[in-house]
Each structure stands twice: as structure tokens, then as C-alpha cells.
Amino acid sequence: MKRALLLILAVFVALVATRYLTPASSVRAATPVKGDPKMKWNGEKVVKSDDEWKKQLTPEQYKVCRKAGTERAFTGAYWDNHEKGTYYCAACGLPLFSSETKFDSGTGWPSFWAPIHAENVTNREDNSLWSRRTENVCSRCDSHLGHVFPDGPKPTGLRYCMNSAALTFEKE
């Protein structure tokens, strides 16, 4: 009986280890889903090593997406973009925001009152810089996007203040 339980436990541990400890180099990002803004996150994660992210992203994108950096206000590519289209995660291509929810917040960063799909953007508590904020990350690859604040316009009253370096844009 003990031997059978140990065998079952060993098989269980092996399955869990295979699922959660897969080497990062063996898990590849899906091809960016440009042109499919209706895509909702399906629960699958994109996992890569630090070196793989450094090879894929520009230095600015890496600093923002992987190290939770922030670009300077009024310097990003999209803070003053008024074209219609979709904003995607720069790291994995998941659709995040629509130009339909973008607004001029006066902050110098692209701001939106809602993501395309709530499940595509994950909120995390951020207590850095001696303040309490809510960080936004891409649900699929955990890339840092920016922060959300409760001072946005109707209908949500939220301001998703994003870094341009964390986004790519495709015109309609």
C-alpha cells in the first residue's frame, strides 16, 4: 500500500514538474495576433528566459516590459496617436486596448478608460516608490504595461496609463 501511494505521488510530482518547470527555452511565444483584436486571453502563458526577451525586445521595451520601467512623459510613440486601431502587447502580441477607449489624459502617456477584454490585462498591487498603485501587466506574458488610476472619464472612471514601449499599434 505504501509503495503504491509513493508511486502515485512520484507520478503526480513528475507531472506537475513537467507542467510548471518546463525550461523557458522550450516554450515559444505565439505569433503575434495582429489583426485579431477580438482575441481573449485563453489562459496560456508565454514564458521565455531573460536572454530570449533581450533578443526579441528593443532595450527600451525590455526595460519597460520586463523590468517594470517607465518611459519619460511625452516621449513615447503613442501618447499623441489619434489614429483608429488596436494596441497590442509589444512582447507577445495579445490585443490590449482599442483606440475607441483612448483619451487625452494630459499626462504624456497613452491613456485608456478600458482594455479590449478585461481578461487580457491583469492588475497587481504595486507598493513601490513609497506609494500604493495598481500595476497592469499583460495576462499572457506578464509584461509590465503601466498603471491604472481611478481618475478617468466615464463610463468606467478609470485611467489605464500605459507605456508606449509596452505597446505596438495597428491601424484599422
Side-chain angles (χ1 to χ4, degrees), residues 137-152:
V137 299
C138 172
S139 295
R140 184 158 64 177
C141 70
D142 292 326
S143 285
H144 172 76
L145 304 170
H147 293 85
V148 63
F149 302 95
D151 60 1

Side-chain angles (χ1 to χ4, degrees), residues 4 13 16 20 26 32 34 49 72 75 91 117 132 143 158 166 170:
V13 169
V16 170
Y20 293 102
S26 69
K34 305 283 175 141
S49 70
R72 287 188 353 256
T75 63
H117 303 292
R132 239 190 166 135
S143 285
L158 299 174
E170 186 174 279

Side-chain angles (χ1 to χ4, degrees), residues 65-107:
C65 294
R66 306 315 304 170
K67 298 299 177 186
T70 302
E71 63 199 10
R72 287 188 353 256
F74 303 101
T75 63
Y78 305 123
W79 74 271
D80 197 28
N81 182 22
H82 300 285
E83 297 188 81
K84 291 188 184 288
T86 303
Y87 293 85
Y88 296 85
C89 175
C92 74
L94 188 68
L96 301 172
F97 297 96
S98 168
S99 60
E100 293 176 15
T101 64
K102 189 172 188 288
F103 68 99
D104 183 2
S105 64
T107 62

Side-chain angles (χ1 to χ4, degrees), residues 40-42 94 115-122 137-140:
K40 290 184 182 180
W41 179 56
N42 64 6
L94 188 68
I116 284 182
H117 303 292
E119 52 269 270
N120 290 12
V121 176
T122 298
V137 299
C138 172
S139 295
R140 184 158 64 177

Side-chain angles (χ1 to χ4, degrees), residues 125-133 147:
E125 189 173 303
D126 178 1
N127 294 316
S128 64
L129 301 176
W130 304 281
S131 64
R132 239 190 166 135
R133 301 180 292 174
H147 293 85

